[in-house]
Amino acid sequence: MFDPREKVVLFIDGANLYATSRALGVDIDYKRLLGEFQNTGYLLRAYYYTALVEDQEYSSIRPLIDWLDYNGYTVVTKPAKEFTDTQGRRKVKGNMDIELAIDALEMSSHYDHLVLFSGDGDFTALVAALQRRGKKITVASTLTTPTPMISDDLRRQADYFLEIATLAKTVGRPQVDRQQAAREDATD
């Protein structure tokens, strides 16, 4: 799948990868993920895209974002939008598709192979546009969940498909019960 002479970039749709890893029952070890791709070719850059709720005093994703930022990832964030739906429920929306697509297109003269961690069918047109520029595209998602986490159109358009359930064997770890882990830490 990867030629060691290729310049590879990772584009991670954070919300999509999170949902996929939860559905698979694994946590991604981002340090091992970076290492996995550094060992397969020339990893030029790894981007992680996510929206953040800015007015919250503490965001559960903040420690991950800070860790990624200090450990080899380029983190791209924007404030999430909050709104109230027709039933009066508070909702948060934060879509990073446009930012990811623009960055992938703008950088395309600098890489040979893009690995897109998302199953979102909205990226099918981006993949086609990058292929017209001579880029190889690998889409990383999963088909092993009861409802596949990847759009059929996106999978067909990509040059390669990387099954996250398989990748998780080297870069994943079983999900930890956060509350249980906190209790164990408190008693140690």
Side-chain angles (χ1 to χ4, degrees):
M1 184 181 323
F2 295 99
D3 180 331
R5 299 166 294 180
E6 291 179 321
K7 289 183 255 175
V8 177
V9 291
L10 307 183
F11 276 75
I12 301 170
D13 175 347
N16 196 284
L17 181 56
Y18 176 81
T20 300
S21 66
R22 301 304 299 161
L24 291 170
V26 298
D27 283 330
I28 300 296
D29 182 326
Y30 287 96
K31 186 174 188 163
R32 279 198 252 157
L33 180 67
L34 215 51
E36 182 77 17
F37 285 94
Q38 287 167 334
N39 292 334
T40 59
Y42 177 69
L43 182 61
L44 189 60
R45 193 109 43 256
Y47 292 91
Y48 186 94
Y49 292 81
T50 192
L52 297 172
V53 178
E54 293 295 327
D55 67 345
Q56 287 183 341
E57 214 169 288
Y58 174 77
S59 170
S60 60
I61 196 167
R62 179 53 70 186
L64 172 63
I65 296 305
D66 290 342
W67 187 93
L68 292 170
D69 213 15
Y70 281 108
N71 289 280
Y73 287 83
T74 300
V75 177
V76 181
T77 64
K78 76 175 181 185
K81 306 279 188 226
E82 291 190 63
F83 64 96
T84 305
D85 71 8
T86 55
Q87 281 83 36
R89 293 178 299 217
R90 190 175 143 252
K91 297 279 188 174
V92 177
K93 184 170 175 66
N95 190 323
M96 297 292 293
D97 293 2
I98 294 297
E99 290 81 357
L100 189 153
I102 289 170
D103 289 350
L105 284 167
E106 284 183 343
M107 275 195 64
S108 66
S109 63
H110 302 288
Y111 63 82
D112 305 304
H113 196 143
L114 180 138
V115 181
L116 175 63
F117 282 83
S118 182
D120 188 337
D122 291 345
F123 289 121
T124 305
L126 168 66
V127 170
L130 290 169
Q131 288 168 327
R132 287 191 298 272
R133 294 179 178 204
K135 306 305 167 190
K136 284 193 224 168
I137 311 295
T138 295
V139 173
S141 189
T142 190
L143 291 165
T144 63
T145 51
T147 303
M149 301 288 287
I150 184 168
S151 146
D152 193 49
D153 290 341
L154 179 62
R155 185 166 162 244
R156 288 173 191 266
Q157 186 66 51
D159 297 300
Y160 306 101
F161 173 70
L162 178 59
E163 174 58 63
I164 291 181
T166 303
L167 182 63
K169 292 174 184 168
T170 54
V171 304
R173 55 183 177 248
Q175 284 178 347
V176 293
D177 177 343
R178 306 270 181 249
Q179 293 172 338
Q180 178 66 30
R183 285 191 296 270
E184 289 171 3
D185 287 346
T187 59
D188 287 344

